[in-house]
Amino acid sequence: MTSRPTLELDFVTGLSTSSRKMQTVFDSLLRQRGLTLARARALVQISRNPGINQSELAKILAIESPTMVRLLDGMEKQDLIQRGASAGDRRAKQLSLTETARSEVQQIEALSRVVGGFMLRGVDEADLGIALRVLGRVVENIEAAMDGHVPS
């Protein structure tokens, strides 16, 4: 029988490896469309969070503010986003998608379904449900650690 520490290490290693491989495949497919993974992730989040500002988006995507600004500058040049003043704070810029970007988001989501279907081929629904619960707990634990709530 495998010990819990070994199982934990194997899980973390497998999660990391699968994440990198998935990102590599998805990025390659996106580049064929003239996008990057970072831009695609940003577009999807802006689509799901209408009126989001730059700092909120940076937090969701876990990237630094200067990187966020460069990313948005490039997306604006591609006519994918528009920046507008926020009603509550003139310094904050609310983000919205252009019509071009709305079409891109639909294609990104379709591509995500194809990649997800391929990756999860042969995984039954019950196992997928368990995996989702485990990943949800992993994310909660990571977020708690990031907020300084790490158990001693």
Side-chain angles (χ1 to χ4, degrees):
M1 183 165 179
T2 307
S3 69
R4 176 153 182 125
T6 300
L7 286 172
E8 288 176 357
L9 180 60
D10 289 349
F11 178 83
V12 170
T13 301
L15 185 61
S16 176
T17 301
S18 63
S19 176
R20 281 193 315 274
K21 288 179 185 253
M22 178 184 65
Q23 288 180 19
T24 299
V25 166
F26 200 62
D27 188 54
S28 173
L29 294 170
L30 288 167
R31 286 186 186 277
Q32 293 173 18
R33 300 200 41 73
L35 287 172
T36 64
L37 184 57
R39 286 184 183 179
R41 291 180 64 221
L43 288 174
V44 169
Q45 288 304 320
I46 295 167
S47 173
R48 291 180 181 169
N49 300 284
I52 192 170
N53 68 40
Q54 291 178 195
S55 62
E56 293 167 336
L57 182 60
K59 184 175 181 179
I60 289 171
L61 298 177
I63 58 178
E64 299 293 325
S65 185
T67 304
M68 180 87 272
V69 170
R70 285 191 305 276
L71 177 65
L72 294 175
D73 286 347
M75 292 171 65
E76 201 168 35
K77 286 178 186 167
Q78 278 187 295
D79 190 37
L80 296 173
I81 63 158
Q82 295 173 333
R83 293 171 171 151
S86 175
D89 182 354
R90 289 184 300 155
R91 295 171 298 163
K93 299 293 183 193
Q94 285 187 318
L95 305 170
S96 61
L97 299 178
T98 64
E99 283 304 313
T100 302
R102 290 182 212 295
S103 172
E104 289 291 334
V105 168
Q106 290 176 346
Q107 293 177 34
I108 292 165
E109 289 174 341
L111 187 59
S112 293
R113 286 189 293 276
V114 169
V115 171
F118 176 78
M119 287 176 12
L120 297 169
R121 188 176 49 201
V123 177
D124 69 47
E125 204 170 313
D127 287 344
L128 188 55
I130 292 168
L132 281 169
R133 284 192 300 279
V134 170
L135 286 174
R137 176 55 59 96
V138 168
V139 169
E140 287 173 10
N141 291 343
I142 291 169
E143 288 174 347
M146 291 172 69
D147 291 340
H149 300 48
V150 181
S152 48

